[in-house]
Amino acid sequence: MLRFDHQRQRHLAAGEREFMRARQFCLVALLAIGLSACGSSADRGPADRMPSDSSSKGSAEKGRPERVPHDPPESFTARGAVALPPEATAGRTNLLGDVRDLAVALHRTSAYVASADRMQTVDLTTGKVVAVVRPRAEALGEDDDATAPLVSADGSLVVTTFVTRQSGIGTQSPSMELEVVATTPETGKAAWSTSLKIPRAWAEGDGSTPEAQVVGFAGGNVIVTVNTGYNAVTAGIDIATHQVRWTAQNVRTRAVTAEAAVGVDILDRFGPDQLVGLDPATGKEKWRAERNAGDTTVESAGPSLVRVWGWAEDDGARFDRLLKSGTGKVQADVPKGLDNSSCPFDQAQTLVCTSQSHLVALDSTSGKELWRLEDGQADGRFAPEVTASWHGRIYARASSTTAVALDARTGKDRPAGLDIAPVLVNEYQGLVLVGRELLAYPSRG
């Protein structure tokens, strides 16, 4: 029965890919000749439809078009928009038209799309997949198990992870490995790869496929972590030699700064979580929280802070704090009303915290609240639905038919002109979910 279900899911996925390819072909025709054969713009609201200049010919017909960076973009244009591979959204959209946990990274005019069994490098000026890298062994998991690749700060490497199954030989039983693959940006060519054995006990004690993630670069290493519900290990891999420099058993890391790799020690499955900070160069413990914590979440919060929230093991009290990554000391408490909400870093100076009825901006150095929007404010403003934030700009849906951009430091609305609400942004493009397809719209303004 399990085999039948798996095969059926693969057939369904194949059918969906063919459907996506057909939509992509139709979209390119629409952009190139301005026809409406693929459906009217009335089928979706202005917040998700193509801007008014979408009838112009895309410059992809003339070769690789030139792109002008805008840091940050004020708006985006559908002229020259291209579709990402269907794997970019496979299993990651819902009936409300939202997308979650994209396994996609942007660098200049390229996108890196991770799946369980491959990473595709896509030229976002033409929509072409210029390279595909795969693990050496059989990949495990489904496409939506993949996590986003990570580009190094100097732009010299793109690193992704694969969980694989190694076939048994003779009396040697099959085993699992974590394969870490580094590629050269834009060309997508493999630069090096390194593998780590995943203990057999993991499979015996936990039937789930391990989750792997590239967490950050620091101390001359790329920091990776792999975990199941009951097991974890973090490793530092030397960028120069490509060798594993250190490992930390039972540690599930979720944030890396220049000072520390921060995560939770699950205490060999027998105790409550304990927050720990490791030296990213050596893996040695720099600090450990004095109090045990229950179910704890760790999130990156800028160049020197991490956010941690959960419940204290001894009295059950909830905590939600910003800590100094290098010492574990509390920098600030996260404002009330943001329980279970995310506070992503805009890669500049601001943490953008969102919930169903709140939008709160925090300074990424001090943790100080800068401003907030709440539904039902006396001045008539409300909290829009944030889709992305980058370099001092917040992009959001004000309604199902309108989009808005805000200044991340002041909360003020930017001048009108934003036609769509991107879900991922850099200086060259914004990625926009249209239906179940992810499109790259060139930036402007």
Side-chain angles (χ1 to χ4, degrees), residues 200-253:
R200 281 181 50 80
W202 287 27
E204 296 170 358
D206 190 334
S208 61
T209 299
E211 174 188 313
Q213 181 179 353
V214 186
V215 191
F217 297 86
N221 296 325
V222 55
I223 313 299
V224 299
T225 193
V226 59
N227 64 272
T228 61
Y230 301 101
N231 300 277
V233 64
T234 293
I237 299 172
D238 191 302
I239 295 173
T241 67
H242 320 148
Q243 302 299 309
V244 178
R245 188 184 292 180
W246 58 263
T247 60
Q249 298 297 322
N250 302 319
V251 176
R252 183 176 66 242
T253 301

Side-chain angles (χ1 to χ4, degrees), residues 74 77 86 100 108 118 141 151 219 260 265 269 292 324 327 361-362 389 397 402 409 411 422 435 438:
E74 289 289 348
T77 174
R100 61 172 180 83
R108 296 183 59 82
R118 74 194 73 178
V151 184
D265 187 339
R269 303 188 300 173
N292 293 338
K324 296 179 180 180
T327 64
L362 308 178
S389 59
R397 295 189 186 99
T402 57
R409 300 300 289 179
L438 201 61

Side-chain angles (χ1 to χ4, degrees), residues 4-5 32 200 204 286 304:
F4 172 77
D5 288 342
R200 281 181 50 80
E204 296 170 358
K286 296 186 68 173
S304 62

